Amino acid sequence: MANISPSTSGDPIFGEPAPREPVASGNYGFAKPEHADFPPILIIAVTNVCDMACIHCAHPVMKRTPGYKATFMDPAIHTRIVEETRHFKDRLWVFRYAADGESILHPRFLDMVEETKNAGIGPVDLTTNAMALTEEKMRRLLLAPIDVIDVSLDAHTQETYEKIRKRGKFSRVTANLKRLIELRDELRSPTRIMTSIIQQKEALGEVEAFKAFWGPYVDEVLVRGLNTDLGIINASETYFDKDLERWPCPQFWKRVTINHKGEIRFCVEDWFNRGVVGNVMEQSIQEIWKSPIYERFRELHATGRWRDMNLCKPCMDWQHMEWDHGFEKAIAKVMNKG
């Protein structure tokens, strides 16, 4: 019998043993020896609240789930994360505010960014839909200064935008992005600004126009693949290759996601927190990262036994998590621009 030990959410992480699968050839493991001691990427979800209902996002599904409760991270949890991370700041690839909701909606979010930057941590990234940006918020972010702001637009035209980003206002968001760029230049802030579009059927005809339009304005334009969020989203048009030989998931060697409760989960797309393995208020990030359960995750993936893990077994989104093309590469590229 397999060890059907549950996560802290009560859901079993491990299932019955499955046949070992071939592992695609590649150089897998920690990019640097010090990454075995502390994750080089932290993804911080300060809230599960969002002001949009995008068609490619699991948030609208999560919000309809019985028991959903709008929650904001207690500042004490954020302080605990920052106080530990500051000891490893020289080895970080990125400290990223993203995941389960729109970070800007947290009433203390600007304080949190300033706390992180005052601790000397960086690069710090905010991924945002930009709807709630105001002049004051822009100014405080740019003066912190936050290192990167990544605005998710996902369309070139208003018609397409409002099909994809439900409840979003195209004119407001694009005006906010342009003002953010202007204010950044006025303040001579070092903040880098990116925008992104997802390759999904509603916007496929606009990707090149999007890149051509925003390229001269921003420091980087990102084109992202469309994920299923562990099967929550119907994303058949992403054209997953069923014959592609699978590689280990890089998350186990590169990053952790910390939700608004301070819980660490092993998968960034785990919207229902079924893979929670600890809480930063009870254990350190380092202790969890170096724990036996994380060692087991790595061993299972390195040996082609990912199907022993209930979340990983049906996953196809690994095809958009290539080892050599992670978000950290985009951050490194944009940070090195003069």
Side-chain angles (χ1 to χ4, degrees):
M1 288 291 291
N3 177 7
I4 317 291
S5 59
S7 71
T8 58
S9 68
D11 293 314
I13 290 177
F14 303 106
E16 294 294 333
R20 186 189 302 259
E21 296 183 11
V23 179
S25 60
N27 185 20
Y28 309 121
F30 296 109
K32 296 181 179 180
E34 58 263 34
H35 293 169
D37 203 38
F38 194 82
I41 302 173
L42 299 181
I43 299 178
I44 315 299
V46 298
T47 184
N48 64 352
V49 175
C50 189
D51 48 2
M52 291 190 188
C54 303
I55 63 173
H56 54 254
C57 183
H59 189 276
V61 179
M62 178 184 71
K63 192 174 179 180
R64 293 193 298 268
T65 302
Y68 167 80
K69 181 181 178 181
T71 310
F72 297 98
M73 178 179 282
D74 187 321
I77 296 174
H78 187 266
T79 296
R80 180 69 64 91
I81 295 167
V82 169
E83 286 304 306
E84 181 179 0
T85 304
R86 72 191 307 163
H87 298 295
F88 302 95
K89 60 188 179 184
D90 294 334
R91 64 184 69 175
L92 279 188
W93 282 344
V94 60
F95 187 101
R96 185 184 185 192
Y97 292 104
D100 299 355
E102 174 51 58
S103 302
I104 293 174
L105 298 178
H106 193 300
R108 297 286 301 278
F109 179 65
L110 298 173
D111 296 334
M112 291 174 169
V113 172
E114 290 167 351
E115 179 179 44
T116 305
K117 290 306 301 177
N118 287 338
I121 294 170
V124 177
D125 165 80
L126 165 65
T127 297
T128 176
N129 64 36
M131 269 280 287
L133 276 178
T134 62
E135 186 89 3
E136 178 188 1
K137 291 177 181 178
M138 293 181 200
R139 187 174 293 271
R140 285 185 65 183
L141 287 169
L142 293 168
L143 291 176
I146 196 167
D147 297 285
V148 182
I149 299 176
D150 170 20
V151 176
S152 301
L153 279 181
D154 296 321
H156 179 57
T157 64
Q158 178 172 337
E159 180 182 8
T160 300
Y161 179 89
E162 294 182 356
K163 285 180 182 177
I164 293 171
R165 292 198 152 258
K166 303 292 187 180
R167 297 206 299 265
K169 302 297 181 185
F170 184 75
S171 59
R172 182 193 303 179
V173 171
T174 52
N176 283 348
L177 177 52
K178 289 178 181 179
R179 178 55 186 154
L180 179 67
I181 296 164
E182 291 172 352
L183 188 59
R184 186 269 308 268
D185 296 343
E186 290 172 16
L187 296 174
R188 298 185 178 180
S189 168
T191 299
R192 300 290 188 249
I193 298 172
M194 306 191 297
T195 188
S196 64
I197 186 170
I198 291 175
Q199 294 193 73
Q200 53 190 312
K201 62 184 179 183
E202 290 82 3
L204 282 181
E206 297 190 2
V207 172
E208 293 306 315
F210 182 90
K211 291 163 62 177
F213 180 82
W214 287 107
Y217 284 99
V218 299
D219 297 296
E220 190 71 19
V221 176
L222 303 180
V223 180
R224 293 186 164 106
L226 176 60
N227 286 341
T228 69
D229 290 340
L230 299 179
I232 299 173
I233 304 302
N234 180 12
S236 58
E237 71 272 17
T238 54
Y239 305 114
F240 291 118
D241 184 351
K242 294 182 180 180
D243 296 323
L244 188 64
E245 201 164 55
R246 188 167 176 173
W247 51 80
C249 181
Q251 295 190 79
F252 301 114
W253 288 266
K254 290 186 178 183
R255 69 189 184 194
V256 297
T257 300
I258 307 175
N259 70 16
H260 53 279
K261 297 179 182 178
E263 297 170 331
I264 287 182
R265 66 187 194 225
F266 63 80
C267 181
V268 69
E269 296 186 40
D270 179 17
W271 287 80
F272 294 104
N273 296 300
R274 293 176 292 167
V276 170
V277 295
N279 191 298
V280 300
M281 301 304 283
E282 298 167 0
Q283 291 176 279
S284 69
I285 299 168
Q286 184 184 47
E287 286 173 333
I288 296 170
W289 184 245
K290 297 175 69 175
S291 66
I293 196 168
Y294 254 95
E295 287 301 313
R296 185 174 181 191
F297 294 157
R298 295 181 188 116
E299 193 270 336
L300 288 175
H301 270 252
T303 58
R305 291 181 290 156
W306 34 71
R307 291 185 180 274
D308 286 13
M309 298 175 62
N310 289 326
L311 285 181
C312 302
K313 183 176 181 179
C315 178
M316 292 297 291
D317 296 333
W318 60 268
Q319 295 192 17
H320 295 156
M321 296 183 185
E322 298 179 64
W323 280 75
D324 296 329
H325 299 282
F327 187 70
E328 72 275 7
K329 306 293 184 183
I331 292 292
K333 180 181 178 182
V334 77
M335 290 295 292
N336 288 327
K337 288 193 173 182

